[in-house]
Amino acid sequence: MQVTRPIGVFDSGIGGLTVLRSIIEKLPQYDYLYLGDNSRAPYGNRSFNTIHQYTWECVQWLFKQGCPLVILACNTASAKALRTIQQKDMLANYADKKVLGVIRPTAEVIGDYSKSKQIGVLGTTGTIQSESYLIEIKKFFPDVEVHQQACPLWVPIIESGEYNKAGADYYVKLYIDEILAKSADIDTVLLACTHYPLLQSKIEEHLPPHVKVVSQGQIVANSLADYLKRHNDIEQDITQNSTRRFFTTSDDTTDFDEHASMFFSSPVKSEYALLTYDN
């Protein structure tokens, strides 16, 4: 069997496939291994401790598969688990490996999209409550005002396959109206959940024409490309056979493949992943 040391990409479900798709378009030469924790999704309304436990289990599983680098393609996990994993969990046994998130690379550039310096952030309840985007964006763009809106019903709508149906419009408009009510000067809206690009056309329909909608896929892909250029030791440890493998944790692979194919824009054939780590 061909030995691979792939880039691991993790999400609580299938939303992270929108990020993986952009990464592969930017960096097609590398091997990739995607893990979706579908049996325990969604993470958005769970506690800090639970999200950390689930995320760390999945990161360890990816490390055990040979991944030298793992991308948390999940805003909730990036907001509530990444710092603890980087600063505590990995020090004992995984000091030679790296875990990156999606919030910092987004925060580094999002201010450049706005002329009015008024940005709206749409995300899960967990991401919004963490205030990670408020904190990170202020580091890079102290003059930008950030307005947040939790959209707890969007992920269930998307994962149930209802995102392109007329019934979704009510809930899209509901949250769009709420965030626009916070400032009439918002000219940029960030989709701070990797599921939300599937709703992007509906989101744009309910926004004023001058408001720009920004999804994270291309931002994260560009940031990863830059990271690998600056960290030659990590880049050289990743194999380049252009392989793509997909796994889902303790859930039905047929159901995962059906829904994942919508996010990945091509057929997905997944395998079952058993998580057996002590905490």
Side-chain angles (χ1 to χ4, degrees), residues 73 85 101 112 119 140 155 170 175 182 189 192 207 214 230 257:
I85 288 172
D112 294 331
I119 293 175
F140 300 101
V155 170
Y170 173 83
Y175 298 129
K182 296 177 181 180
V189 170
L207 284 168
V214 180
R230 292 183 290 105
D257 294 349

Side-chain angles (χ1 to χ4, degrees), residues 10-121:
F10 164 73
D11 185 57
S12 59
I14 53 182
L17 289 166
T18 61
V19 171
L20 176 60
R21 184 181 64 208
S22 294
I23 291 174
I24 290 175
E25 289 173 356
K26 180 76 174 180
L27 302 165
Q29 69 272 30
Y30 298 109
D31 297 322
Y32 296 94
L33 178 58
Y34 183 89
L35 175 63
D37 192 10
N38 288 62
S39 61
R40 302 184 292 194
Y43 282 14
N45 296 319
R46 296 186 183 274
S47 70
F48 174 93
N49 288 336
T50 297
I51 292 169
H52 168 254
Q53 175 190 332
Y54 290 176
T55 303
W56 180 227
E57 287 174 354
C58 291
V59 167
Q60 289 181 89
W61 186 89
L62 287 164
F63 284 162
K64 295 293 185 181
Q65 311 311 307
C67 299
L69 170 66
V70 173
I71 309 297
L72 301 187
C74 172
N75 281 274
T76 303
S78 295
K80 291 195 169 185
L82 178 61
R83 185 178 299 274
T84 302
I85 288 172
Q86 288 177 328
Q87 298 182 357
K88 178 183 176 182
D89 298 327
M90 293 176 61
L91 296 181
N93 299 311
Y94 301 106
D96 61 327
K97 299 183 183 297
K98 300 293 181 183
V99 179
L100 305 175
V102 295
I103 293 178
R104 185 180 179 90
T106 304
E108 288 177 344
V109 300
I110 190 63
D112 294 331
Y113 289 84
S114 176
K115 295 180 179 179
S116 68
K117 305 303 180 183
Q118 300 278 324
I119 293 175
V121 176

Side-chain angles (χ1 to χ4, degrees), residues 205-220:
E205 288 176 9
H206 293 286
L207 284 168
H210 72 279
V211 178
K212 181 186 295 293
V213 178
V214 180
S215 59
Q216 294 176 291
Q218 194 60 53
I219 292 173
V220 175

Side-chain angles (χ1 to χ4, degrees), residues 34-253:
Y34 183 89
L35 175 63
D37 192 10
N38 288 62
S39 61
R40 302 184 292 194
Y43 282 14
N45 296 319
R46 296 186 183 274
S47 70
F48 174 93
N49 288 336
T50 297
I51 292 169
H52 168 254
Q53 175 190 332
Y54 290 176
T55 303
W56 180 227
E57 287 174 354
C58 291
V59 167
Q60 289 181 89
W61 186 89
L62 287 164
F63 284 162
K64 295 293 185 181
Q65 311 311 307
C67 299
L69 170 66
V70 173
I71 309 297
L72 301 187
C74 172
N75 281 274
T76 303
S78 295
K80 291 195 169 185
L82 178 61
R83 185 178 299 274
T84 302
I85 288 172
Q86 288 177 328
Q87 298 182 357
K88 178 183 176 182
D89 298 327
M90 293 176 61
L91 296 181
N93 299 311
Y94 301 106
D96 61 327
K97 299 183 183 297
K98 300 293 181 183
V99 179
L100 305 175
V102 295
I103 293 178
R104 185 180 179 90
T106 304
E108 288 177 344
V109 300
I110 190 63
D112 294 331
Y113 289 84
S114 176
K115 295 180 179 179
S116 68
K117 305 303 180 183
Q118 300 278 324
I119 293 175
V121 176
L122 303 172
T124 66
T125 300
T127 296
I128 298 305
Q129 288 181 345
S130 75
E131 297 193 340
S132 294
Y133 276 101
L134 287 175
I135 296 168
E136 291 297 319
I137 293 173
K138 283 295 180 183
K139 291 179 182 178
F140 300 101
F141 302 97
D143 58 335
V144 166
E145 188 170 358
V146 179
H147 308 274
Q148 298 193 113
Q149 178 62 48
C151 310
L153 295 176
W154 282 5
V155 170
I157 288 171
I158 293 167
E159 295 214 341
S160 66
E162 299 294 316
Y163 64 93
N164 58 353
K165 297 182 180 179
D169 285 275
Y170 173 83
Y171 297 101
V172 170
K173 186 176 186 301
L174 174 68
Y175 298 129
I176 293 299
D177 287 348
E178 290 187 12
I179 197 165
L180 291 179
K182 296 177 181 180
S183 172
D185 296 322
I186 291 174
D187 69 350
T188 303
V189 170
L190 171 65
L191 305 184
C193 174
T194 54
H195 280 71
Y196 295 175
L198 270 70
L199 280 173
Q200 185 163 340
S201 61
K202 287 187 179 294
I203 292 169
E204 290 172 341
E205 288 176 9
H206 293 286
L207 284 168
H210 72 279
V211 178
K212 181 186 295 293
V213 178
V214 180
S215 59
Q216 294 176 291
Q218 194 60 53
I219 292 173
V220 175
N222 290 339
S223 177
L224 177 58
D226 179 67
Y227 178 88
L228 293 175
K229 285 181 181 179
R230 292 183 290 105
H231 295 82
N232 190 55
D233 55 330
I234 296 293
E235 195 276 337
Q236 289 189 341
D237 201 27
I238 301 165
T239 49
Q240 300 187 32
N241 305 300
S242 299
T243 64
R244 294 87 170 87
R245 301 183 69 196
F246 304 88
F247 286 83
T248 176
T249 63
S250 59
D251 207 359
D252 180 61
T253 57

